[in-house]
Amino acid sequence: MYQALTSKELFINRTDIPPYDEKKDFWEQSTDVIQCFTEEFEKMKGGVNIGGYWFHPWLYFHINFAKFMIPQVGNYGDVVDVLMNPPLDDNVLLIADSLTRAKKENKGLVMFGTRGFAKSQDLASIQHHTSLIKPGGTFKTVGGSPNDLDDLKNMLVTSLSHIHPAFNLNTLVNNSTTIELGQRLKDGSKMMQHIIRIINADAEKEASSEKGAGGNPSGFILDEAGKFDCTKV
């Protein structure tokens, strides 16, 4: 159990972030850069107290480091997609509080019954956050709609592609069923950080009841469960 740190403000509001040299490896950065981003990583693992409010580790990552194409009203009243950090709103606060409660009660979390609360964006952020803080894990994402699974995967790829360089995870494999994150060593072998499996429960090669089985995944998502017979998974 990590001890939550205390901080004065969110990362996105700080004006004292030391410059990060993208031409250098993390451990080749200056001492103040290493200290800064090591502390940020600890906040992602154990949460942080800011102004008397405890930010859940995922929530802290979500609003400070995840980035997605989010609709915004333009200068002329038109709606345009802008690459940005997700806003801190009632929806994400409710999800973070629910995740805290689910962990305490050793339960899963079900989200349903409404549109427009950025569910897929939040799930992609959870995948990304888990990949950062749980090295060596495998995250399973099961769904019954290839289009929905593709949308979720594309959001994850966007977040992975635009994360701060201090927390960049190289993508070694990216296909319809797997994203492998880690490092390619000089001898050609892989040093794996995390694997994300994308599983179509309606595919014919394997019984639906076996699609979610096996192993001890670092995370599990059953996407759009109301669109297929999820009880078999």
Side-chain angles (χ1 to χ4, degrees):
M1 183 69 179
Y2 292 97
Q3 181 67 39
L5 301 177
T6 299
S7 182
K8 294 182 179 180
E9 57 188 333
L10 297 169
F11 178 82
I12 54 174
N13 293 332
R14 289 178 59 180
T15 59
D16 61 341
I17 303 298
Y20 191 94
D21 188 348
E22 296 188 40
K23 296 181 180 179
K24 295 181 179 180
D25 182 74
F26 180 82
W27 297 110
E28 296 174 337
Q29 303 291 325
S30 62
T31 301
D32 56 341
V33 169
I34 293 174
Q35 180 178 350
C36 171
F37 289 100
T38 299
E39 289 178 356
E40 290 301 313
F41 187 65
E42 290 301 315
K43 295 172 188 176
M44 295 182 201
K45 290 198 299 182
V48 59
N49 287 299
I50 300 178
Y53 177 79
W54 180 73
F55 282 80
H56 184 281
W58 165 74
L59 177 61
Y60 187 81
F61 165 81
H62 183 67
I63 61 177
N64 287 284
F65 294 102
K67 286 189 177 180
F68 300 100
M69 299 301 294
I70 299 176
Q72 299 290 299
V73 178
N75 294 331
Y76 303 99
D78 54 332
V79 178
V80 293
D81 286 339
V82 178
L83 181 67
M84 59 182 288
N85 300 104
L88 177 61
D89 56 26
D90 290 347
N91 292 333
V92 294
L93 286 172
L94 176 60
I95 293 171
D97 289 345
S98 299
L99 286 170
T100 300
R101 178 181 172 187
K103 184 175 182 179
K104 287 181 179 178
E105 299 181 10
N106 195 28
K107 296 178 180 178
L109 177 62
V110 178
M111 296 187 288
F112 70 97
T114 187
R115 285 187 175 273
F117 76 113
K119 181 266 303 175
S120 294
Q121 176 182 285
D122 296 332
L123 293 180
S125 175
I126 289 172
Q127 289 176 319
H128 192 172
H129 175 249
T130 304
S131 298
L132 274 171
I133 67 167
K134 294 185 178 181
T138 298
F139 197 117
K140 290 187 177 182
T141 301
V142 182
S145 167
N147 290 335
D148 289 335
L149 288 171
D150 284 344
D151 288 344
L152 180 54
K153 179 190 167 200
N154 290 337
M155 289 184 183
L156 171 61
V157 170
T158 296
S159 188
L160 288 169
S161 301
H162 295 94
I163 189 74
H164 190 283
F167 304 116
N168 180 56
L169 299 174
N170 293 320
T171 301
L172 304 178
V173 173
N174 180 359
N175 57 44
S176 61
T177 61
T178 304
I179 294 177
E180 293 183 357
L181 304 169
Q183 297 287 339
R184 180 79 65 178
L185 303 181
K186 291 183 179 180
D187 62 2
S189 61
K190 300 175 184 176
M191 184 172 68
M192 206 68 64
Q193 166 73 14
H194 215 91
I195 300 174
I196 297 169
R197 301 289 188 199
I198 303 164
I199 306 167
N200 181 3
D202 280 356
E204 298 179 356
K205 292 183 179 180
E206 185 179 351
S208 293
S209 60
E210 297 299 317
K211 290 303 175 68
N216 183 23
S218 57
F220 179 80
I221 289 173
L222 190 58
D223 186 49
E224 296 288 1
K227 293 184 179 180
F228 66 102
D229 189 359
C230 63
T231 59
K232 292 182 179 179
V233 177

